[in-house]
Amino acid sequence: MDFSTLYAKRALQLERSAIAALKDEAKAVPGILSLGEGVPAPELFPVDELSHVAAQVFKAEGRDVLQYGDSLGGFGLRQHLSQIMTKYGIQISPDAIQVTSGSMQSLDMAARLFLETGDTVLVEDPTFIDAKNCLTMTGATLKGIPCDDEGMDLDLLAKALQEDSSIKAVYVIPDYQNPTGLCWSDQRRRQFMELVSQYNVIILEDNPYGEITYTGEYHKALASYDTKGQVLFMGSLSKTLSPGLRIGWVATQQTIITQLSLVKECADIHSSLPDHAIAAGFMNIYSYDDHVSSMNKVYKERRDTLVKGLQNKLPDFTFTVPEGGFFLWLALPAGLNEYEFFQYAIKAGVLAIPGTPFFVKPQKQGFVRLNFTGLKPDELTEAVSRLADAYQNMIK
Amino acid sequence: MDFSTLYAKRALQLERSAIAALKDEAKAVPGILSLGEGVPAPELFPVDELSHVAAQVFKAEGRDVLQYGDSLGGFGLRQHLSQIMTKYGIQISPDAIQVTSGSMQSLDMAARLFLETGDTVLVEDPTFIDAKNCLTMTGATLKGIPCDDEGMDLDLLAKALQEDSSIKAVYVIPDYQNPTGLCWSDQRRRQFMELVSQYNVIILEDNPYGEITYTGEYHKALASYDTKGQVLFMGSLSKTLSPGLRIGWVATQQTIITQLSLVKECADIHSSLPDHAIAAGFMNIYSYDDHVSSMNKVYKERRDTLVKGLQNKLPDFTFTVPEGGFFLWLALPAGLNEYEFFQYAIKAGVLAIPGTPFFVKPQKQGFVRLNFTGLKPDELTEAVSRLADAYQNMIK
């Protein structure tokens, strides 16, 4: 008997992402090179260090971390996270930090706390594809606001905020966004906060990539310009330490954290405390900052390899060089369809993700998203050659 | 500015549990003995073994488990979980198992998958207090069905199912329930499944305590009598291995697992893969079954100590001896108020949780819930003496 007729409406809105299906299609191709994933380089994981720390943590703190504990997460870890946030110009107490199971859960919990049917949430257009699923799961409606190279278009944002009283939240990724790789300018950040501070709306600031910087600079977070307590800053260790450990966090004003921790208790009581202690232990013994900078050095080389390859081999394609993060957003020559390009690319042995699914209202937009952190330089060079082959085959 | 006016209705339904407040009140009392927590004994955690396994896991599998992975959870762990389920008479493929961050997340995800405003969910009355929060977070309405010593009252259940077409799910804990400690008889399980199989309702079978047995017997799960694929079985390693690791799972028919994994991706992509590998590694190297039986031996002694103490020192109180699990449900002498008893008890230096908050519509019911796994035998003996003192002070 098919009990799937009993699904809640919210769960029926969830469809397996178009990207997942494309990835599966590509996986079947032998020897394919993937620019499609958004993954850190596994060879950079500090496995020996974490092995050492993990053994220590279970031996020394086992009775504590294996037990039920604080729903906010391990205190030692929250102290380190509070320290990391100073890089973004934010001073916050460890008690105003809710540790989550990755940035994804931060967004899911924040969405469940604030959004419901009848609410509208504004997002950058295009935006993080999983965020679309997660936000609409609440029953809220998504509206996309386009961005330029400096960030969200403030005229369009102002117009939306003025005209639509159902807007309850704005979800943005100002630092090296997924999928575009773009980073908001400091001026745009300040102006954005000035504008939204005139409205009773929550700002969901997702920042999983802020530490992956190729200029060595950190940008001041939107939260650092927050005078009213309306920003929920969402950080993550997935891109810097490990996605598998699933460590993210939400930092915001204390009242909101208190209510958010009730959502957390409902969701899973608390996240894995051994993992929190292992991450904190790593930061106690080794230099997290050194780990991140040596990681960034490797990623910068990969970014440069990709950029150089594209400039040489695909001069008809255009893009902005990403100054951080995992992605490059490639514009196809006018009139070219990115799904068709995807098909030619997998035939040539390379996976590049069509940009369409990242838009709020999918239209053929002529973009593909390229990840450059998961492949080594020689693989990236080869991948670009294959993209060039694909392009040649497509237009001939 | 107070942005808490923007909370979604669902999130406003969450109130800090009455139990949490009572626990805080008790914590302030120096030297208090707690029968209030529902925790495993930390001295039984296999910390040396886990320390060894954790070091191995990071060293040997670090590149895999630190990366993003399968949203269903680690395959090695799912194989072990599938094996554990045979004890309950269930044959299930590891691919029909969704690993979650503890039983709490299993319930939260199942609730999000099926329940919404307008739906009714039936629960045992009394039931697990956190389940009430979690189920109502979906917008669904809870209705309590009383139980006797053998399980849910089937006449009342039949009546409810016949009369109320908004019933979409029934949530039950047939094995050593929290808070009552009661275990459904095999006959009641069979009859329950016969009855519900006549209706299009989902059965949420929560089983975190099934392996904590003091008779050495396992009961066949409701899911083992399921002929239509309507049961979601929810298991947990929190009571047997570690709550801190946060490992639970949902097992059900493949179609439902597929949709459930989309909810999981929205919720947190997947749970901690290192933790899955550590739990699986423990089960590979050491005997999980031996660990559970030696744990049960210790808990049985504690149960016996509590039972003997209550029989000797509080003969006016009545209870059914729990044959497994963590809790004993103590009925106060007629006319006695359990909140008043709670106050006398903390004055005497012992924490016992009033039963009222576990009921769907809280009424003064004259019960307290006692946990016996978190204290050592001499502490339990002392705790019962203090309860007896509290009772004497109360009635004098």
Side-chain angles (χ1 to χ4, degrees):
Chain A
M1 153 128 215
D2 184 12
F3 285 92
S4 60
T5 53
L6 299 179
Y7 293 147
K9 277 190 293 294
R10 79 169 73 81
L12 282 175
Q13 288 174 328
L14 295 177
E15 285 172 27
R16 190 149 181 275
S17 89
I19 284 193
L22 297 177
K23 280 184 190 165
D24 282 352
E25 197 177 334
K27 255 182 217 155
V29 180
I32 197 152
L33 290 171
S34 176
L35 301 166
E37 318 287 333
V39 298
E43 65 273 21
L44 302 182
F45 294 142
V47 293
D48 289 338
E49 292 85 343
L50 287 172
S51 172
H52 173 68
V53 171
Q56 289 293 101
V57 158
F58 281 103
K59 205 159 268 177
E61 303 172 53
R63 312 264 171 239
D64 291 326
V65 298
L66 291 166
Q67 189 58 283
Y68 289 108
D70 191 335
S71 69
L72 289 180
F75 185 73
L77 176 63
R78 286 187 281 128
Q79 284 181 304
H80 282 289
L81 300 179
S82 151
Q83 195 53 38
I84 288 174
M85 292 188 61
T86 60
K87 300 176 186 178
Y88 303 113
I90 301 166
Q91 302 293 335
I92 199 153
S93 150
D95 288 329
I97 293 176
Q98 167 71 61
V99 183
T100 59
S101 293
S103 215
M104 194 73 236
Q105 194 187 39
S106 295
L107 182 61
D108 188 47
M109 282 174 48
R112 293 174 83 184
L113 181 57
F114 288 106
L115 299 173
E116 60 198 324
T117 307
D119 291 337
T120 299
V121 52
L122 303 179
V123 301
E124 293 160 299
D125 204 18
T127 189
F128 174 39
I129 203 161
D130 291 348
K132 288 169 54 185
N133 251 342
C134 183
L135 292 166
T136 50
M137 249 300 254
T138 63
T141 303
L142 258 58
K143 207 182 244 180
I145 304 285
C147 295
D148 58 30
D149 269 11
E150 292 197 48
M152 191 172 261
D153 183 316
L154 297 186
D155 292 335
L156 292 173
L157 175 62
K159 195 163 175 286
L161 287 168
Q162 267 157 34
E163 288 175 359
D164 187 350
S165 64
S166 76
I167 294 168
K168 203 186 253 180
V170 188
Y171 168 73
V172 289
I173 313 169
D175 292 45
Y176 320 120
Q177 198 224 28
N178 178 2
T180 63
L182 293 179
C183 189
W184 292 24
S185 70
D186 292 343
Q187 195 190 356
R188 189 67 58 88
R189 289 166 195 249
R190 211 169 32 243
Q191 290 170 338
F192 173 88
M193 285 307 299
E194 271 166 28
L195 172 59
V196 298
S197 73
Q198 299 163 41
Y199 296 87
N200 281 339
V201 292
I202 287 294
I203 308 304
L204 302 172
E205 178 178 23
D206 198 3
N207 190 339
Y209 303 104
E211 295 196 76
I212 311 296
T213 162
Y214 308 133
T215 63
E217 275 171 44
Y218 284 80
H219 291 268
K220 283 186 75 182
L222 298 180
S224 76
Y225 300 103
D226 184 11
T227 55
K228 291 175 69 193
Q230 70 188 130
V231 180
L232 277 74
F233 178 95
M234 304 183 283
S236 174
L237 296 183
S238 292
K239 317 303 175 194
T240 55
L241 188 62
S242 156
L245 283 172
R246 316 288 321 112
I247 297 177
W249 71 95
V250 181
T252 185
Q253 52 158 311
Q254 193 66 56
T255 336
I256 293 178
I257 287 290
T258 302
Q259 196 69 17
L260 195 69
S261 74
L262 295 180
V263 178
K264 179 69 178 166
E265 282 173 29
C266 251
D268 57 14
I269 306 184
H270 53 71
S271 301
S272 161
L273 298 179
D275 286 5
H276 297 182
I278 289 167
F282 177 83
M283 294 177 184
N284 289 337
I285 301 179
Y286 307 99
S287 167
Y288 169 75
D289 287 345
D290 286 355
H291 165 70
V292 174
S293 8
S294 69
M295 192 173 228
N296 285 345
K297 211 173 284 176
V298 173
Y299 290 162
K300 183 175 188 294
E301 192 195 348
R302 296 182 183 193
R303 191 266 324 248
D304 292 342
T305 305
L306 177 65
V307 165
K308 209 174 127 194
L310 293 171
Q311 285 167 340
N312 287 339
K313 301 231 169 154
L314 286 167
D316 299 350
F317 290 59
T318 54
F319 58 90
T320 300
V321 177
E323 297 194 333
F326 276 27
F327 303 107
L328 183 147
W329 187 240
L330 190 65
L332 275 62
L336 249 56
N337 176 297
E338 71 266 33
Y339 282 102
E340 213 180 310
F341 183 65
F342 163 81
Q343 292 297 346
Y344 276 95
I346 61 169
K347 254 178 247 159
V350 61
L351 169 61
I353 297 291
T356 304
F358 295 93
F359 288 90
V360 173
K361 291 195 178 158
Q363 296 165 308
K364 299 270 171 292
Q365 300 274 357
F367 292 98
V368 294
R369 189 194 72 174
L370 306 180
N371 167 264
F372 52 82
T373 53
L375 293 183
K376 293 178 178 140
D378 56 336
E379 295 171 319
L380 282 165
T381 305
E382 173 61 22
V384 174
S385 291
R386 295 184 187 181
L387 284 181
D389 290 346
Y391 177 55
Q392 289 309 322
N393 292 333
M394 190 174 174
I395 57 175
K396 104 181 147 194
Chain B
M1 154 125 212
D2 184 13
F3 285 92
S4 61
T5 52
L6 300 178
Y7 293 146
K9 278 190 293 293
R10 79 168 75 79
L12 281 175
Q13 288 173 331
L14 295 176
E15 285 171 26
R16 189 148 183 275
S17 89
I19 284 191
L22 296 177
K23 280 183 189 165
D24 281 353
E25 195 177 336
K27 256 181 215 156
V29 180
I32 198 153
L33 290 170
S34 175
L35 301 165
E37 318 287 333
V39 298
E43 65 273 22
L44 302 182
F45 294 141
V47 294
D48 289 338
E49 293 85 343
L50 288 172
S51 172
H52 173 68
V53 171
Q56 288 293 101
V57 158
F58 282 103
K59 205 158 268 176
E61 304 171 52
R63 311 266 171 239
D64 292 327
V65 299
L66 291 167
Q67 189 58 284
Y68 288 109
D70 191 334
S71 68
L72 290 180
F75 185 72
L77 175 63
R78 285 187 282 129
Q79 285 181 304
H80 282 290
L81 300 179
S82 152
Q83 196 53 39
I84 288 174
M85 292 189 61
T86 61
K87 299 177 186 176
Y88 303 113
I90 301 165
Q91 303 293 333
I92 198 151
S93 151
D95 289 330
I97 293 177
Q98 167 70 61
V99 183
T100 58
S101 294
S103 216
M104 194 72 236
Q105 194 187 37
S106 295
L107 182 61
D108 187 48
M109 283 174 48
R112 293 174 84 183
L113 181 57
F114 288 107
L115 299 173
E116 60 198 326
T117 307
D119 292 338
T120 298
V121 52
L122 303 179
V123 301
E124 294 161 298
D125 205 17
T127 189
F128 174 40
I129 202 160
D130 290 348
K132 288 169 54 186
N133 251 342
C134 183
L135 292 165
T136 51
M137 249 300 254
T138 63
T141 304
L142 260 57
K143 206 182 244 179
I145 305 285
C147 295
D148 58 30
D149 270 11
E150 292 198 48
M152 192 173 260
D153 184 314
L154 297 185
D155 291 336
L156 292 174
L157 175 62
K159 195 162 175 286
L161 288 167
Q162 268 159 34
E163 288 174 0
D164 185 352
S165 64
S166 76
I167 294 168
K168 203 187 252 178
V170 188
Y171 168 74
V172 289
I173 313 168
D175 292 44
Y176 320 120
Q177 198 225 28
N178 177 3
T180 61
L182 293 179
C183 190
W184 291 24
S185 70
D186 293 343
Q187 194 189 357
R188 188 68 58 88
R189 289 166 195 250
R190 212 168 33 242
Q191 290 170 338
F192 172 89
M193 284 308 298
E194 272 166 26
L195 172 59
V196 296
S197 73
Q198 299 163 40
Y199 296 87
N200 281 339
V201 291
I202 288 292
I203 309 303
L204 302 171
E205 178 178 22
D206 198 3
N207 190 339
Y209 303 104
E211 294 197 77
I212 311 295
T213 161
Y214 308 134
T215 62
E217 276 171 42
Y218 284 79
H219 291 269
K220 284 186 75 181
L222 298 178
S224 76
Y225 299 103
D226 183 12
T227 54
K228 292 174 70 193
Q230 70 189 131
V231 179
L232 277 75
F233 178 94
M234 304 183 282
S236 174
L237 296 183
S238 292
K239 316 304 174 194
T240 55
L241 189 61
S242 156
L245 283 171
R246 314 291 318 116
I247 297 177
W249 70 94
V250 181
T252 185
Q253 52 159 312
Q254 193 67 56
T255 337
I256 294 177
I257 287 291
T258 302
Q259 196 69 18
L260 195 69
S261 73
L262 295 180
V263 177
K264 179 69 178 167
E265 282 174 28
C266 253
D268 56 14
I269 307 184
H270 53 69
S271 302
S272 161
L273 298 178
D275 286 4
H276 297 181
I278 289 167
F282 176 83
M283 293 177 187
N284 289 336
I285 300 178
Y286 307 99
S287 168
Y288 169 73
D289 287 346
D290 286 356
H291 166 69
V292 174
S293 6
S294 70
M295 192 174 231
N296 286 345
K297 211 175 284 176
V298 173
Y299 290 162
K300 184 176 187 293
E301 191 195 346
R302 296 182 183 192
R303 192 263 327 246
D304 291 343
T305 305
L306 177 64
V307 164
K308 209 175 124 194
L310 293 172
Q311 285 167 341
N312 288 340
K313 301 228 169 157
L314 286 167
D316 299 350
F317 290 60
T318 54
F319 59 90
T320 300
V321 177
E323 296 193 334
F326 277 26
F327 302 107
L328 183 147
W329 188 241
L330 189 64
L332 274 61
L336 248 57
N337 176 297
E338 71 266 32
Y339 283 101
E340 212 179 312
F341 183 64
F342 163 82
Q343 292 297 346
Y344 276 95
I346 60 169
K347 254 177 251 161
V350 60
L351 169 62
I353 298 290
T356 305
F358 296 92
F359 288 90
V360 173
K361 292 195 178 156
Q363 295 165 307
K364 298 270 172 291
Q365 299 273 357
F367 293 97
V368 294
R369 187 193 74 174
L370 306 181
N371 167 264
F372 53 82
T373 53
L375 292 183
K376 294 181 178 139
D378 56 336
E379 293 171 319
L380 281 165
T381 305
E382 173 61 21
V384 174
S385 290
R386 295 183 187 180
L387 284 182
D389 289 346
Y391 177 54
Q392 288 309 321
N393 291 334
M394 191 175 173
I395 58 174
K396 102 182 148 194

